[in-house]
């Protein structure tokens, strides 16, 4: 059974229809790369799955449960699906460790000792155990993003959504974040990531989704999509892309 | 009713002036003193209640009573038909002559003489109501929020004339101010009454009885001696 | 008749300033609590609550504090509530401060990056949890200087309560003026006492603001 | 207690309210224009003006901003005559409002000037304008535009603060309300009506400031 | 006789001596390019000539008159020497035409009609006659800089100082501004320009001044300076420069 099932998803901002009917099924353990031009709706798609945007039409099922816009359903959803942002969005007033502990304690009512143990474990996992007490502004961009990943992982989600998580990083820091993601993929985490790193997508992803003007224009395994793009739009996109 | 409430709670709340010597002003310790305050003490004594004084201004003393913030207004309150519509009055407890006052070198003999002049008065006071009636159209009436304002305006020369009580003027002169107010003419003889909430007959009867007794036994005359330096007029 | 020495005047004024301070503290603290509730309403998801908060703020910022005091004092009394002067003064000042504080704080909440809302939402926090653990701690930092600055307005606002008969510093000023016939001295002293209360707060707010700016730049 | 509202007095007293509104408007019009002018002058002194004037202006601004308007008003009206400075209540009210808005306006406008890019001063200078000419023709308008919303709010605050002038017998809207309630003994209704009038005045004033702003500042394109 | 004569010019900011004794004579009609590393004092030098910085030691003569820091002398100087900045510094509240008219009316008390005629003429000269009524934020960077040039020209200066006037422009807009400067040079205007556009300097300038650590390190015609730099500093500068 698919873990995330998106059916005829539509989303409008005012008169502007940004998602025009998206269909996509994602199996547990799949690693999906979403590519496409700026403005094609990639971020909006991810944000819909995480309930950050309300859906106008269509349905999203996560682990069999329908996404509904009330607080109870949203909370249930977000416990299953974590999200990581381009701008890291660490909480600047909390240390790295506290960033990872906070939502466990607040949302899941985990005890402090247990939350702290989990935080240390997850920071360890992203290679930042020694930065437990550092504040976000004492960390490099790459480190901040890895804390953000740890923070999402601490909620033990069954899938992670990543929206251009390396785009705000200086080139020399991209690799350290991608290494963490690669690790996660290898461990079997279900991942949906918007990315411009075509080489990474090719190496790590099980499927590539090409979005164009609010639609899923082409889907397929990376070898197919990158080597033999069927539509002219994808060809054009890859032509001046980074592949 | 109000009377039994007072006797039960054993507290009498009275609105008194604090800007209107000799009826009410403050000493160097800021405690209220004056004719009205002594009157309030007398009534509280007779009712066997503890006295709670609330300083009020001329403009807001009636609302204080209307809104039940005080039980009585003993604040050199004059009686007129408008006021009688909204509150009740006791019998008179103090004499009061409203007049227009000004410095000696200003010649004004009667209401007509106010033409073209500026007169300060306390808004909502009896003087205000009466002066508004008698003053000629081209006289300017400046209305201040309270007697503090009126007196300050006169003393600081903001208005050449004020309408107020004779005793008030006398009290001002007694303090040797920069400007001495002299009586120019009398507006109205308007003795002071205690204001009561409308329809509280029992309270009114009780207060009237206390006033009558105080007149008879000379205790009211003593208050008059203290603050007005004269005996109570016989017509009161 | 009684004579006031300058010392008598000053002594009485300072004595009355106590009430100014007390009333300011009560209004500011109460205004903070009510203001926080108005703030929550103002940034709530419910349109009705937001409307209410906007109306509330518009009403209290768009009418004179003096009128609000009159209404609280005389109005509530007529509606059957017995309001002594200190209560009317306190509650009017609380409601008034709340409107301004809510608006000041809204600016601070909006200064927190949108990503913070989204990140905390995606971690499963409810709206109140987001506010409590993520947004307010950050907003607080920028909120302190303007809040301290506003406390000066509250102190000055208490002067108006003299008009409904609350004997604080200003009222004492008018009373003493009338007992001494020295308006220049008395109001001069009253002004100085207010200044002594307000100026340190103004300076403090100013230095806090500067520190914040420096911290921001160093970021 | 069933309180019965009674607005019949409006029939008799509305001309007084109208007069009150007129005086309040008059106060804020004159006080506003002169106050902003004073504010601009003081802001210039504090930001760019002669050093000798900066300290006196700073003292003036701090004194005014840290004392209540009512006390300023009383000081001017009741206190200054002791120094031989006698004036009518309208004059005293105008002065108090101008002096008050001048101080607040100074701080607001100064912030606008401080936000002016250095290059604007230098461009003015390199075109041979004197510092004052640069201020007058180059810096002032964009500075005002920057702080126009804050200045508008302050003017509304000063307008609402003018209610206090009723204390010195200025016959503004508050005076009208107080006068009426001392005759009709309908305090609540009277204050309700006058409060509503103030609200309308405040909304109207803010609207007017918006229109003035739109008229004196060039509209910016969306870029 | 030289139009601008700089002798032993020294300028300190606190303890930091930024100009350490500059000597330079400029003849009428000369076009001088000033090149040098960041921080070498190029801007400070120009700003001294325009009186935007006070001089600590040495003298500057412009058309025979001494530069003195009082208002009368400064005004006289600035009427002779115009300056154009990297950041354009147009007045945002005035239209292009008004920008050009303002200083004429304020400083020279030119009548409005006459100032407007001059403004139209100068805008015409920089190719922007049709933008008379446009506000600065409606113009591209290149257009803004051309308005700034017209504004300086309207004061009829005998020399123009240009401080990296194309550095804030997108590459495609640089050419349009340089074309205007080239035109001015051809018409015989005396120009001193700090620039990184080595090719332009080589083509248009009569002399190139290389500044290094607050001193004029090398001067000469462009062919000499660029093709046969004498000092090792200039060689190194040109080596990783844009020449
Ligand atoms: N909050 C919003 N309100 C209105 N329009 C929006 C909003 N968010 C996005 N849009 C519009 O939706 C469209 C798709 O935006 P989206 O951010 O999903 O694109 P994207 O594929 O992620 O682009 P990019 O690669 O630049 O991040 C764009 O036209 C954008 O302007
Ligand atoms: N206002 C100032 N106060 C203090 N130091 C200054 C000031 N202006 C410039 N400096 C210093 O003077 C030195 C020379 O600066 P200048 O701007 O003249 O260099 P430049 O050659 O124009 O460099 P760039 O190519 O980066 O514009 C630098 O070290 C700079 O830090
Ligand atoms: Mg995106
Ligand atoms: Mg430079």
């Amino acid at each position: 059974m698919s873990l995330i099932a998106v059916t005829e998803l539509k989303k409008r901002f005012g008169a502007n229809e940004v998602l025009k009917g998206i269909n996509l099924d994602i199996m547990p353990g799949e690693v999906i790369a979403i590519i496409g031009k700026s403005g094609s709706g990639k971020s909006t798609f991810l944000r819909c799955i995480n309930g950050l945007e309300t859906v106008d039409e269509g349905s999203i099922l996560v682990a069999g449960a329908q996404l509904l816009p009330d607080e109870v359903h949203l909370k249930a959803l977000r416990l299953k699906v974590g999200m990581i942002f381009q701008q890291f969005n660490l909480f600047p007033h909390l240390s790295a460790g506290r960033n990872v502990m906070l939502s466990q304690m607040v949302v899941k009512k985990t005890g402090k000792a247990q939350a702290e143990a989990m935080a240390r474990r997850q920071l360890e996992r992203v290679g930042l155990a020694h930065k437990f007490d550092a504040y976000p502004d004492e960390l490099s961009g790459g480190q901040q993003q890895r804390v953000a990943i740890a923070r999402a992982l601490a909620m033990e989600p069954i899938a992670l959504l990543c929206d251009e998580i390396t785009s705000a990083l200086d080139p020399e820091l991209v690799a350290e974040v991608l290494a963490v993601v690669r690790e996660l993929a290898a461990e079997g985490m279900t991942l949906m990531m918007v990315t411009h790193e075509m080489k990474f997508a090719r190496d790590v992803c099980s499927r590539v989704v090409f979005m164009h003007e609010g639609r899923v224009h082409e889907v397929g395994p990376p070898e197919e999509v990158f080597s033999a793009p069927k539509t002219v739009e994808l060809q054009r996109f890859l032509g001046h892309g980074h592949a | 009713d109000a009377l039994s409430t007072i006797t039960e709670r054993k507290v009498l709340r009275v609105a008194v002036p604090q800007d209107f010597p000799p009826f009410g002003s403050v000493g160097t310790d800021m405690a209220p003193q004056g004719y009205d305050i002594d009157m309030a003490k007398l009534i509280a004594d007779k009712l066997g209640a503890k006295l709670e004084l609330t300083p009020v201004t001329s403009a807001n003393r009636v609302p204080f009573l209307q809104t039940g913030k005080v039980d009585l207004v003993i604040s050199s309150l004059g009686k007129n038909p408008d006021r009688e519509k909204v509150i009740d009055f006791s019998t008179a407890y103090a004499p009061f002559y409203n007049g227009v006052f000004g410095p000696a070198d200003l010649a004004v003999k009667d209401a007509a003489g106010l033409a073209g002049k500026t007169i300060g008065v306390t808004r909502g006071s009896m003087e205000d109501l009466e002066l508004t009636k008698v003053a000629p159209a081209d006289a300017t009436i400046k209305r201040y929020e309270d007697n503090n304002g009126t007196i300050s305006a006169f003393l600081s020369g903001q208005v050449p004339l004020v309408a107020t009580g004779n005793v008030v003027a006398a009290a001002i002169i007694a303090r040797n101010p920069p400007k001495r107010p002299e009586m120019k003419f009398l507006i109205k003889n308007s003795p002071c009454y205690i204001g009561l909430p409308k329809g509280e007959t029992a309270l009114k009867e009780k207060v009237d009885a206390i006033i009558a007794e105080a007149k008879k036994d000379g205790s009211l005359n003593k208050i008059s001696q203290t603050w007005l330096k004269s005996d109570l007029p016989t017509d009161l | 008749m009684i004579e006031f020495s300058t010392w008598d005047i000053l002594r009485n004024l300072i004595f009355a300033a106590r009430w100014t301070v007390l009333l300011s503290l009560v209004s500011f603290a109460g205004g903070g609590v009510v203001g926080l509730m108005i703030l929550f309403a103002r940034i709530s998801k419910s349109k009705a609550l937001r409307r209410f908060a906007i109306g509330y703020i518009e009403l209290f910022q768009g009418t004179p504090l003096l009128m609000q005091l009159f209404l609280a004092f005389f109005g509530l009394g007529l509606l059957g509530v017995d309001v002594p002067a200190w209560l009317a003064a306190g509650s009017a000042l609380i409601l008034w401060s709340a409107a301004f504080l809510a608006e000041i704080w809204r600016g601070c909440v909006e200064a927190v990056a949108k990503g913070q809302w989204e990140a905390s939402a995606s971690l499963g926090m409810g709206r109140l949890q987001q506010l409590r653990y993520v947004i307010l701690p950050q907003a607080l930092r920028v909120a302190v200087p303007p809040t301290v600055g506003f406390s000066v307005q509250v102190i000055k606002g208490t002067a108006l309560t003299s008009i409904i008969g609350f004997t604080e510093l200003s009222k004492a000023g008018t009373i003493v003026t009338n007992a001494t016939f020295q308006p220049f001295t008395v109001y001069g002293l009253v002004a100085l006492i207010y200044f002594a209360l307000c100026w340190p707060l103004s300076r403090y707010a100013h230095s806090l603001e500067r520190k914040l700016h420096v911290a921001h730049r160093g970021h | 207690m069933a309180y019965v509202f009674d607005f019949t007095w409006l029939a008799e007293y509305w001309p007084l309210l109208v007069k009150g509104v007129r005086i309040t408007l008059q106060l804020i019009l004159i006080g506003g224009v002169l106050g902003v002018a004073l504010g601009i002058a003081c802001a210039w002194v504090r930001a760019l003006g002669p050093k000798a004037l900066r300290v006196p202006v700073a003292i003036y601004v701090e004194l005014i901003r840290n004392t209540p308007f009512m006390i300023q008003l009383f000081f001017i009206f009741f206190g200054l005559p002791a120094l031989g400075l006698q004036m009518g209540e309208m004059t005293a009210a105008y002065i108090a409002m101008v002096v008050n808005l001048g101080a607040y306006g100074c701080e607001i406008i100064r912030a606008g000037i401080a936000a002016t890019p250095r290059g604007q001063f230098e461009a003015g200078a390199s075109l041979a304008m004197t510092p004052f000419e640069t201020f007058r023709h180059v810096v002032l308008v964009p500075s005002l535009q920057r702080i126009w919303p804050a200045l508008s709010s302050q003017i509304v605050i000063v307008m609402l603060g003018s209610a206090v002038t009723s204390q010195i017998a200025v016959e503004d809207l508050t005076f009208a309300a107080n006068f009426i309630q001392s005759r009709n003994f309908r305090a609540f209704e009277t204050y309700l009506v006058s409060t509503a009038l103030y609200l309308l005045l405040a909304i109207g004033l803010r609207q007017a400031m918006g229109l003035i702003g739109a008229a004196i500042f060039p509209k910016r394109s969306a870029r």
Side-chain angles (χ1 to χ4, degrees), chain A, chain B, chain C, chain D:
Chain A
M1 201 195 71
S2 59
L3 188 67
I4 302 176
V6 179
T7 322
E8 279 305 311
L9 172 63
K10 292 192 182 168
K11 169 70 188 169
R12 278 178 293 273
F13 289 113
N16 178 16
E17 191 166 46
V18 174
L19 299 183
K20 298 177 177 161
I22 300 232
N23 293 290
L24 193 66
D25 276 17
I26 295 158
M27 295 294 145
E30 266 202 297
V31 177
I32 306 282
I34 303 176
I35 61 173
K37 275 201 306 193
S38 178
S40 56
K42 308 180 295 294
S43 297
T44 307
F45 180 33
L46 282 200
R47 293 164 58 82
C48 282
I49 299 182
N50 199 230
L52 288 175
E53 305 285 357
T54 55
V55 167
D56 289 320
E57 278 175 50
S59 84
I60 301 177
L61 289 169
V62 177
Q66 177 91 31
L67 165 57
L68 291 172
D70 60 292
E71 222 168 73
V72 178
H73 280 86
L74 271 181
K75 181 171 163 177
L77 167 82
R78 286 167 176 160
L79 285 173
K80 293 185 206 144
V81 180
M83 181 144 181
I84 305 158
F85 304 83
Q86 181 175 344
Q87 295 303 336
F88 329 141
N89 293 338
L90 290 189
F91 306 138
H93 60 298
L94 299 177
S95 65
R98 286 269 161 191
N99 259 280
V100 184
M101 288 162 67
L102 180 67
S103 55
Q104 302 176 58
M105 291 166 64
V106 169
V107 180
K108 293 191 172 172
K109 315 289 178 208
T110 313
K112 192 174 165 204
Q114 211 181 328
E116 183 171 337
M118 168 67 94
R120 290 200 186 276
R121 210 154 53 239
Q122 297 302 345
L123 283 175
E124 174 85 62
R125 197 167 167 192
V126 299
L128 287 174
H130 58 297
K131 293 290 184 186
F132 190 92
D133 290 317
Y135 279 83
D137 59 2
E138 298 164 351
L139 300 174
S140 75
Q143 291 173 327
Q144 287 189 53
Q145 193 60 294
R146 281 146 68 199
V147 175
I149 295 174
R151 185 173 69 175
L153 291 174
M155 299 300 282
E156 303 182 295
I158 55 180
L160 269 189
L161 312 176
C162 308
D163 190 0
E164 301 197 29
I165 59 172
T166 58
S167 299
L169 296 178
D170 293 336
E172 67 270 27
L173 301 175
V174 170
E176 68 183 61
V177 172
L178 290 184
V180 170
V181 177
R182 193 184 296 260
E183 192 80 9
L184 290 177
E187 290 169 14
M189 171 67 76
T190 311
L191 287 166
M192 283 182 77
M193 43 195 310
V194 175
T195 184
H196 293 307
E197 303 286 333
M198 299 300 170
K199 196 179 138 3
F200 181 80
R202 180 171 243 155
D203 289 358
V204 176
C205 296
S206 48
R207 271 198 296 166
V208 175
V209 172
F210 171 59
M211 284 188 63
H212 185 70
E213 295 188 346
R215 290 212 170 74
V216 173
H217 207 70
E218 247 187 274
V219 197
E223 316 81 62
E224 238 170 65
V225 167
F226 289 123
S227 317
K230 293 195 201 79
T231 61
V232 60
E233 287 82 7
L234 180 52
Q235 283 161 17
R236 203 174 295 145
F237 175 75
L238 292 176
H240 54 68
H242 316 243
Chain B
D1 70 322
L3 181 58
S4 46
T5 320
I6 293 165
T7 41
E8 264 163 42
R9 97 162 103 70
K10 294 213 177 306
V11 172
L12 179 68
R13 300 170 308 166
V14 183
V16 293
Q18 134 200 83
D19 53 1
F20 207 55
F23 289 95
S25 66
V26 295
T28 47
D29 58 353
M30 297 293 275
Q33 56 177 25
Y35 192 116
D36 288 342
I37 285 88
D38 285 357
M39 188 68 210
K41 281 181 187 152
L42 190 145
I43 293 179
D45 265 1
K46 293 276 149 84
L47 288 175
K50 204 171 135 278
L51 181 60
E52 209 176 87
L53 294 176
T54 304
V56 291
T57 65
S58 299
N60 69 18
R61 50 199 171 165
V62 174
F64 260 89
L65 192 61
Q66 275 180 302
T67 54
K69 290 180 197 310
V70 293
D71 305 314
L72 299 175
V73 172
I74 307 181
S75 179
S76 57
L77 188 65
K79 184 152 78 173
N80 74 2
D82 269 348
R83 285 179 179 165
E84 271 176 313
K85 278 186 221 148
V86 289
I87 59 172
D88 284 344
F89 289 93
S90 70
T91 51
Y93 71 94
F96 196 84
Y97 301 96
N98 281 314
V100 168
F101 295 81
D105 53 1
L106 197 68
V108 174
K109 288 189 306 296
D110 50 18
L114 294 176
K117 303 241 168 18
T118 303
I119 314 101
V121 67
T122 302
R123 178 168 57 235
S125 65
M126 189 59 79
E127 307 89 89
D128 179 11
L129 305 177
E130 292 303 323
L131 189 68
T132 310
K133 277 185 221 151
V134 300
D138 60 344
T140 312
I141 302 178
K142 295 283 177 211
R143 296 180 178 85
Y144 297 93
E145 178 71 17
D146 53 21
N147 289 302
N148 279 327
T150 311
I151 294 171
S152 291
F154 174 75
L155 291 175
S156 58
Q158 296 291 6
V159 287
L161 295 162
V162 282
T164 188
N166 56 338
V167 284
V168 178
I172 295 176
I173 290 173
R175 292 201 206 166
N176 203 18
K179 288 204 167 56
R180 301 174 63 83
E182 277 184 9
M183 167 83 114
K184 296 299 177 191
F185 64 89
L186 183 76
I187 305 177
K188 192 173 186 197
N189 172 8
S190 121
C192 306
Y193 302 82
I194 295 176
L196 306 105
K198 195 105 194 119
E200 295 293 346
T201 340
L203 182 60
K204 177 172 154 48
E205 275 163 12
K206 182 75 190 166
V207 170
D208 281 347
I210 294 173
I211 294 175
E213 196 195 325
K215 278 179 186 163
K216 215 183 284 159
D217 69 12
S219 50
L220 197 57
N221 201 45
K222 228 173 90 211
I223 298 180
S224 173
Q225 285 286 357
T226 314
W227 296 105
L228 306 182
K229 312 276 182 252
S230 68
D231 286 334
L232 273 186
T234 45
D235 59 351
L236 199 71
Chain C
M1 241 14 234
I2 348 113
E3 281 299 328
F4 279 67
S5 65
T6 309
W7 165 241
D8 283 329
I9 297 175
L10 190 61
R11 185 170 56 90
N12 282 319
L13 292 180
I14 290 178
F15 199 59
R18 191 167 61 115
W19 294 111
T20 295
V21 172
L22 188 67
L23 189 59
S24 302
L25 287 176
V26 168
S27 310
F28 192 64
V33 174
V34 180
L36 207 57
M37 296 195 287
I38 301 294
L39 170 71
F40 287 164
R42 181 68 184 78
I43 59 178
S44 117
K45 275 197 170 146
S46 141
K47 202 167 189 168
L49 276 180
R50 276 204 313 271
R51 283 251 174 82
F52 164 79
I54 291 172
Y56 177 96
I57 292 167
E58 177 75 23
L59 185 66
F60 282 91
Q61 292 195 348
T63 58
L65 176 56
L66 187 54
M67 283 289 152
Q68 295 164 25
L69 284 163
F70 282 145
L71 275 176
F73 194 51
F74 298 123
L76 290 179
L78 286 181
L79 295 179
V81 193
D82 180 25
V83 220
W86 62 266
L87 183 59
S91 44
L93 276 167
I94 284 173
L95 296 181
W96 174 81
S97 313
F100 280 86
L101 286 174
E103 197 61 4
I104 291 172
W105 292 341
R106 180 174 72 99
C108 301
V109 166
E110 282 175 357
V112 176
K114 201 168 146 248
Q116 296 290 316
W117 285 100
E118 300 193 334
S120 47
S122 77
L123 287 166
M125 292 189 209
R127 207 164 160 85
L128 278 178
Q129 292 172 330
Q130 292 178 287
L131 269 175
R132 160 78 183 74
Y133 295 104
V134 176
I135 305 300
L136 288 186
Q138 295 181 54
L140 199 63
R141 229 171 55 89
V142 273
V144 172
T147 305
V148 173
F150 181 72
S151 67
V152 173
Q153 309 301 325
V154 176
I155 295 178
K156 293 192 295 174
T158 60
L160 295 182
T161 62
S162 64
I163 295 169
I164 59 167
F166 185 77
T167 308
E168 39 61 79
L169 180 52
S170 293
K171 183 75 180 177
T174 53
I175 295 170
V176 172
T177 301
N178 213 355
T180 61
F181 307 141
Q182 297 177 31
F184 186 82
T185 316
V186 175
Y187 289 125
L189 287 173
V190 170
L192 280 181
I193 297 176
Y194 275 111
F195 187 78
L197 290 175
C198 295
W199 198 61
L201 284 172
S202 291
R203 298 304 307 169
Y204 183 52
H206 194 69
S207 76
L208 282 176
E209 202 172 329
R210 251 204 317 244
K211 250 186 247 158
L212 194 65
H213 272 295
V214 172
H216 255 305
R217 237 179 284 128
H219 215 270
Chain D
M1 172 171 142
Y3 185 77
V4 187
F5 282 93
D6 176 4
F7 289 98
T8 48
W9 52 271
L10 267 171
E12 182 183 350
Y13 287 112
W14 68 266
L16 263 174
L17 287 173
V18 170
K19 185 184 173 202
V21 167
R22 208 197 68 219
I23 302 269
T24 294
L25 276 176
Q26 205 171 314
L27 283 173
I28 192 57
L29 273 183
I30 295 183
V33 170
L34 296 181
V36 170
L38 179 64
I40 292 172
C42 290
W44 174 72
V45 169
R46 285 200 80 178
L48 310 159
K51 293 227 160 49
L53 284 180
R54 287 190 197 175
V55 171
V57 170
I59 291 175
Y60 149 68
V61 168
E62 291 298 315
L63 267 179
I64 296 300
R65 278 162 36 98
N66 288 288
T67 51
F69 177 66
M70 187 171 80
I71 297 301
Q72 295 159 15
L73 187 69
F74 284 1
F75 187 82
I76 292 172
F77 189 68
F78 295 131
L80 286 187
L83 300 184
L85 281 167
Q86 198 88 44
M87 66 196 88
E89 71 279 353
M90 277 309 269
T91 317
Y94 284 136
I95 292 179
M97 291 189 61
V98 169
V99 161
N100 191 273
L101 182 56
Y104 281 95
C106 170
E107 286 310 278
I108 295 172
I109 296 165
R110 193 162 71 116
I113 296 174
T116 305
R118 223 167 83 102
Q120 293 288 310
F121 290 97
E122 299 192 337
S126 76
L127 287 167
M129 290 189 226
T130 62
F132 183 76
E133 285 167 348
T134 304
F135 172 75
R136 161 76 188 76
H137 296 286
V138 174
V139 176
L140 183 57
V141 171
S143 296
L144 284 179
Q145 181 168 18
R146 232 168 265 135
I147 49 82
W148 197 248
L151 192 60
S152 304
S153 309
Q154 190 59 44
I155 288 177
V156 171
I157 289 174
V158 169
M159 187 275 284
L160 298 175
S162 76
V164 173
T165 60
S166 64
Q167 296 293 303
I168 60 165
V170 169
E171 302 189 354
D172 75 330
L173 181 49
T174 304
F175 178 92
N178 279 333
F179 183 88
I180 294 170
Q181 73 88 15
S182 73
R183 309 282 149 131
N184 71 357
F185 305 107
R186 283 282 167 185
F188 192 56
E189 290 92 326
T190 313
Y191 288 129
L192 215 52
V193 169
S194 48
T195 302
L197 286 173
Y198 269 112
L199 191 57
L200 290 179
L201 278 177
I203 294 171
L205 191 55
R206 217 170 299 148
Q207 219 77 27
M209 289 301 289
L211 290 177
I212 295 172
I216 59 178
F217 304 123
K219 44 197 172 307
R220 295 301 193 74
S221 65
R223 275 209 317 155

